[in-house]
Amino acid sequence: MKVTLSDTARRFIALFEEETEATAHDCLVFDDRVVFLVAAGDMATAIGPGGRTVQSVERQLGRSVELVEDADTPEAFVASALAPAAVRHVTLSRQNDTVAYVEVAEADRGVAIGASGKTIDTARELARRHYDIDDIQLT
């Protein structure tokens, strides 16, 4: 799927890639935070030793930075987007809409949802943008 980036997102990706030497495939910009979709295998590079690299990006942007690692399949992508929640299984249902049903340990439901629903909302937006998934439901 082709993702359209705003000028702000493009600038933030350029800064992120220059600072971290990791590849970002997407960027969601919110008032208080920025979410980067990092190429599979680039997460450690993006974070840096002791988190110093991502902290430098946070300082330059003046916002908190969240990282999501890209994946090759929609199921793996949804699981990655809900990290650090322990996802047991993802099932895609393609009927009128495409819905990802995600089995998460009861103890990790709050982690998968996030404060004020931020984690699951971010996962839904990224899944929609990259895999045409209309919704993510926890089971």
Side-chain angles (χ1 to χ4, degrees):
M1 237 187 114
K2 186 176 178 176
V3 174
T4 303
L5 297 171
S6 68
D7 290 342
T8 301
R10 283 190 195 97
R11 282 195 317 273
F12 286 2
I13 286 175
L15 183 147
F16 176 83
E17 290 181 340
E18 182 177 320
E19 187 69 27
T20 66
E21 297 182 5
T23 300
H25 293 159
D26 197 0
C27 175
L28 301 178
V29 179
F30 300 95
D31 291 336
D32 60 339
R33 65 191 175 110
V34 179
V35 180
F36 290 101
L37 180 62
V38 179
D42 277 5
M43 191 64 93
T45 302
I47 295 169
R52 286 191 300 272
T53 307
V54 75
Q55 289 168 358
S56 174
V57 174
E58 287 179 326
R59 280 191 303 279
Q60 291 180 57
L61 295 178
R63 304 172 196 215
S64 70
V65 169
E66 297 173 15
L67 305 176
V68 174
E69 189 167 19
D70 206 349
D72 293 332
T73 67
E75 295 86 355
F77 186 88
V78 169
S80 177
L82 293 172
V87 173
R88 292 181 180 155
H89 188 72
V90 177
T91 303
L92 289 181
S93 172
R94 291 182 175 96
Q95 296 192 13
N96 294 334
D97 291 335
T98 302
V99 178
Y101 293 98
V102 182
E103 184 181 344
V104 178
E106 190 62 36
D108 273 357
R109 285 184 71 79
V111 174
I113 294 168
S116 301
K118 284 184 181 180
T119 303
I120 197 161
D121 288 346
T122 298
R124 285 177 175 140
E125 179 66 15
L126 288 170
R128 184 190 61 74
R129 289 166 66 101
H130 293 273
Y131 285 99
D132 270 338
I133 294 173
D134 299 299
D135 196 11
I136 297 174
Q137 296 291 320
L138 302 181
T139 61

